Amino acid sequence: MSRHLRAVADGAACAAPDQNLIAEFIAQAEVAARTKDVYRAHLREFAAWLVHARTRRSSASAGLLDARRPDVARFMAYLQSGDRYAAAKSPRHAKLPSPSTRKTFLASLRKFYRYLATVELVDADPTYGIDRPKVRTRPGLTLTAEQVRMLLDAKGTARDTAQIYLLAFTAARTNELRCLRWQDVNLDERVLTLHGKNDKYRIIDIHPRLAPELRRYRLWQTREAERNPQLREALSRPETAFVLLTRSGAQLCPNAIYKQLKRRAAKAGLFALDSQHREWRSEVSPHALRRTFATLLLNEGHHLDAVADVLGHESVDTTRKHYAFSSSERRRSTIEGFNV
């Protein structure tokens, strides 16, 4: 396997002019940090692929500014073929990218070239006319109310219990919970402020079952801080007083909530997976709890727009397509409710 192809698989081979273009685009993009990371990785891989593809065709031009529509079409075909993942060093890259992943690649390229067209660095957008990969939306894992109760009742640490109650009764994203500070929680008025994507925030009511758990957890955290200087220092400043803190007083890492939820679910006997790494694993994820929240509320007759508002979706179409899956009983009731 060629060294160039390995570089493409790793998304590393990127000429200096292309790196500068990517950096300029990233700097002006008004999106979340994670989205910027996605843009950067996708654009670097496309730039590296251009170098390799043009080298094979003995073409002098191989930069992002020289890309044409056939280049983008061939790149999308390359993503769909086995070449990209056959070149990968890591075994976890054994599977081909899903249509959803390829769709995200194309979206990154479109954002990039539309910016270049706006600042008149390119005459035409090479992504224009490229069909988006078709993505089939399938219902993901959705828990029953009884299974959610099993998660809530499972044994765990004080922070673990607070986490599961927050996940279940707010349907918040993991990053929203890890960024939640005590100054965002108003237990007297029973509301909390979640800071979401693109620096947006929303205020939601604290569920009656969540409020006492937060009070208990705050009391436990305060007592722990009396004998833990690091935790006490973190809680003494509003900007570092996160609701979910480690024993060393640090903010949780991005994957902490995800892993701890899976461990709790596996121990509770919910959708457990075999593991060869001595780690409790489960199919249950924070995203599954968001989906469960929306689906259970929809099937109980709550309005879709109200559910979308709590989830922080700008469009109810996102809620309808990816989260709120109506039960067969409700669909049947809807049909039978039509009287003429």
Side-chain angles (χ1 to χ4, degrees):
M1 185 183 304
S2 72
R3 178 166 52 87
H4 295 290
L5 194 54
R6 286 189 183 278
V8 173
D10 293 334
C14 189
D18 287 342
Q19 290 182 17
N20 293 335
L21 279 175
I22 294 171
E24 178 184 329
F25 166 69
I26 295 296
Q28 61 81 42
E30 296 181 355
V31 294
R34 288 186 178 183
T35 305
K36 289 186 177 183
D37 290 340
V38 171
Y39 286 164
R40 187 180 296 107
H42 289 175
L43 292 172
R44 283 178 176 174
E45 180 157 353
F46 179 56
W49 178 87
L50 282 173
V51 172
H52 178 64
R54 298 281 178 88
T55 301
R56 291 177 63 183
R57 297 199 304 271
S58 301
S59 173
S61 300
L64 290 171
L65 292 179
D66 305 304
R68 298 293 180 263
R69 184 168 177 263
D71 295 316
V72 178
R74 280 191 289 267
F75 177 69
M76 295 304 295
Y78 152 77
L79 292 178
Q80 193 172 1
S81 72
D83 292 343
R84 177 175 185 259
Y85 283 78
K89 296 178 181 179
S90 173
R92 65 188 177 89
H93 287 154
K95 295 193 301 182
L96 291 175
S98 66
S100 179
T101 300
R102 288 185 276 115
K103 183 178 177 181
T104 306
F105 262 96
L106 182 58
S108 297
L109 295 182
R110 280 184 171 164
K111 289 282 187 180
F112 176 68
Y113 280 106
R114 284 175 183 174
Y115 166 72
L116 295 186
T118 300
V119 297
E120 299 182 350
L121 287 176
V122 295
D123 296 328
D125 179 1
T127 68
Y128 181 78
I130 301 295
D131 293 333
R132 292 183 297 177
K134 293 182 179 180
V135 179
R136 290 185 178 181
T137 302
R138 298 179 179 178
L141 177 64
T142 303
L143 279 62
T144 65
E146 181 182 357
Q147 289 169 336
V148 174
R149 287 193 291 269
M150 289 174 63
L151 270 177
L152 296 173
D153 295 340
K155 293 182 179 180
T157 64
R159 191 187 73 198
D160 186 34
T161 300
Q163 284 177 187
I164 189 60
Y165 270 82
L166 282 166
L167 285 168
F169 291 108
T170 67
R173 302 176 180 92
T174 53
N175 198 55
E176 291 173 338
L177 292 185
R178 64 181 290 269
C179 292
L180 183 68
R181 298 174 173 87
W182 281 114
Q183 66 181 3
D184 301 321
V185 180
N186 189 328
L187 288 171
D188 294 330
E189 296 184 9
R190 291 201 172 184
V191 294
L192 58 82
T193 303
L194 294 172
H195 298 270
K197 295 180 178 180
N198 303 328
D199 294 326
K200 295 179 180 179
Y201 70 90
R202 65 188 185 279
I203 299 174
I204 66 172
D205 293 283
I206 297 177
H207 193 280
R209 289 192 60 190
L210 174 60
E213 291 298 330
L214 285 177
R215 292 186 189 278
R216 275 193 286 267
Y217 174 66
R218 189 170 190 175
L219 181 60
W220 173 88
Q221 197 179 55
T222 302
R223 289 173 177 172
E224 283 291 305
E226 293 176 359
R227 54 178 177 268
N228 185 331
Q230 293 174 307
L231 189 59
R232 184 167 61 250
E233 173 65 20
L235 291 174
S236 67
R237 294 176 293 165
E239 66 272 15
T240 59
F242 294 100
V243 174
L244 302 175
L245 286 168
T246 66
R247 292 183 179 277
S248 61
Q251 182 185 19
L252 295 184
C253 66
N255 290 329
I257 297 176
Y258 178 87
K259 290 181 178 179
Q260 288 165 6
L261 171 61
K262 285 185 169 293
R263 188 179 300 115
R264 186 183 185 98
K267 289 183 177 180
L270 293 174
F271 305 97
L273 298 171
D274 292 333
S275 175
Q276 300 176 353
H277 306 287
R278 299 180 182 179
E279 180 183 0
W280 289 93
R281 297 181 60 200
S282 167
E283 293 181 48
V284 179
S285 67
H287 208 67
L289 289 181
R290 275 173 65 80
R291 189 184 302 113
T292 298
F293 180 91
T295 303
L296 291 180
L297 285 176
L298 176 65
N299 289 328
E300 289 175 3
H302 293 272
H303 292 291
L304 186 62
D305 58 348
V307 176
D309 185 49
V310 174
L311 291 177
H313 292 157
E314 292 185 356
S315 170
V316 294
D317 290 337
T318 303
T319 314
R320 181 185 294 109
K321 187 175 181 180
H322 298 287
Y323 293 86
F325 298 99
S326 182
S327 67
S328 57
E329 291 80 4
R330 188 170 189 226
R331 290 195 298 270
R332 187 181 305 111
S333 175
T334 301
I335 292 295
E336 294 175 354
F338 180 69
N339 297 311
V340 293

